[in-house]
Amino acid sequence: WLQVSLALLGDGLVITLSDISNLMLANQSLQQRAATLALEVGIERATRQALSDEIGLREEREKELRRLAETDPLTALLNRRSFIEKANLCIETADATGQESSLIMVDLDHFKSVNDSHGHPAGDAVIRAFADLLLGSLRSPRDLVGRFGGEEFALFLPNCSQQCAELAAQNIQRELARRDLPVSETLALKVSASFGVATRRKGESLMECIGRADRALYRAKHEGRNRISLAEATVSAAA
């Protein structure tokens, strides 16, 4: 490579030739190194992005696996194990703050007759529709609702007194009486439920509270169903 320089000198020109081969070779080498570096940077960025995408995908998978492990597959409500775990955490908070908390056990009345008369798919549809009704009745995001199995459900209400829990059960009862639960595009069924309400006593474990609510629920069933029975009361509230 030669560099040519021209300069006026009187009536003529001065031509200067310079050998710039080394300079050009060095420049080419720098350009090649810059291209290689740019390629390496691009590969590193792509690798980092792929790694970030993989981590994000893995986190989403783990999140989905946790959700599946915590929820009932039919209703997407909390399953029994997850409900108990989360309710125990709420109890720890309640003990620290001195707040009351209450539990409602709910059981659909005469549910076997739904399966016998309309088939198990209809029974599953009723369970799902009732689960949606329970979710719509929650007072706050802190409230918990779970399916304990079959047609039995549980609600844990933090910072909720007995009166508050009784009102919550009455609201669910009224809403259930007001609507028919859809089974298919052409069929909806009228169903009722029985309720057992217990407000947690100081120092009482969750399982002890569930036991008292279950006994109240059994009493509501025994006294004619479609009733709300309070664990501390001797007389249940008629629908």
Side-chain angles (χ1 to χ4, degrees):
W1 287 276
L2 296 176
Q3 183 181 60
V4 180
S5 301
L6 301 179
L8 292 174
L9 183 60
D11 294 333
L13 294 173
V14 175
I15 300 175
T16 304
L17 301 178
S18 303
D19 184 355
I20 59 169
S21 298
N22 290 337
L23 180 62
M24 293 298 292
L25 289 172
N27 188 48
Q28 281 187 339
S29 177
L30 287 174
Q31 289 178 345
Q32 290 174 353
R33 289 175 62 186
T36 301
L37 182 60
L39 179 61
E40 291 175 351
V41 169
I43 292 173
E44 184 181 356
R45 287 177 178 172
T47 302
R48 253 184 297 183
Q49 184 61 49
L51 181 59
S52 176
D53 293 343
E54 177 64 25
I55 291 173
L57 183 60
R58 187 172 300 176
E59 288 175 348
E60 286 297 319
R61 287 173 181 165
E62 291 175 354
K63 183 179 179 181
E64 179 64 13
L65 287 174
R66 284 195 300 270
R67 186 190 68 79
L68 292 174
E70 291 178 350
T71 57
D72 169 63
L74 179 62
T75 63
L77 298 179
L78 294 174
N79 58 31
R80 183 188 182 98
R81 179 184 61 80
S82 182
F83 178 92
I84 290 174
E85 288 178 356
K86 294 181 183 297
N88 275 321
L89 291 176
C90 291
I91 284 176
E92 290 179 8
T93 302
D95 286 341
T97 59
Q99 293 178 341
E100 287 185 302
S101 53
S102 296
L103 183 77
I104 304 175
M105 300 300 296
V106 191
D107 193 88
L108 292 175
D109 297 327
H110 304 294
F111 183 74
K112 185 176 182 298
S113 65
V114 175
N115 286 331
D116 292 343
S117 301
H118 303 281
H120 287 281
D124 288 347
V126 167
I127 290 291
R128 285 192 295 267
F130 185 62
D132 291 341
L133 186 152
L134 291 178
L135 284 173
S137 71
L138 297 182
R139 308 166 307 136
S140 77
R142 295 177 56 204
D143 292 349
L144 303 177
V145 56
R147 184 186 180 199
F148 266 37
E151 64 274 23
E152 187 178 20
F153 301 82
L155 293 93
F156 187 84
L157 309 178
N159 192 24
C160 182
S161 64
Q162 177 178 291
Q163 183 180 10
C164 164
E166 186 178 7
L167 287 174
Q170 290 172 353
N171 288 336
I172 296 171
Q173 189 181 53
R174 279 195 298 268
E175 186 62 24
L176 188 59
R178 188 184 65 83
R179 68 168 80 171
D180 295 341
L181 299 184
V183 172
S184 67
E185 293 182 357
T186 58
L187 178 64
L189 299 177
K190 177 70 71 176
V191 299
S192 65
S194 299
F195 301 78
V197 179
T199 298
R200 180 174 170 264
R201 295 166 176 166
K202 184 176 181 180
E204 184 179 42
S205 71
L206 175 64
M207 298 312 296
E208 290 171 337
C209 188
I210 289 176
R212 290 194 300 113
D214 265 335
R215 290 190 290 275
L217 173 61
Y218 177 80
R219 186 165 63 248
K221 290 279 190 183
H222 182 72
E223 292 177 354
R225 294 181 170 83
N226 194 25
R227 302 172 73 86
I228 299 171
S229 178
L230 305 179
E232 289 78 14
T234 57
V235 180
S236 59

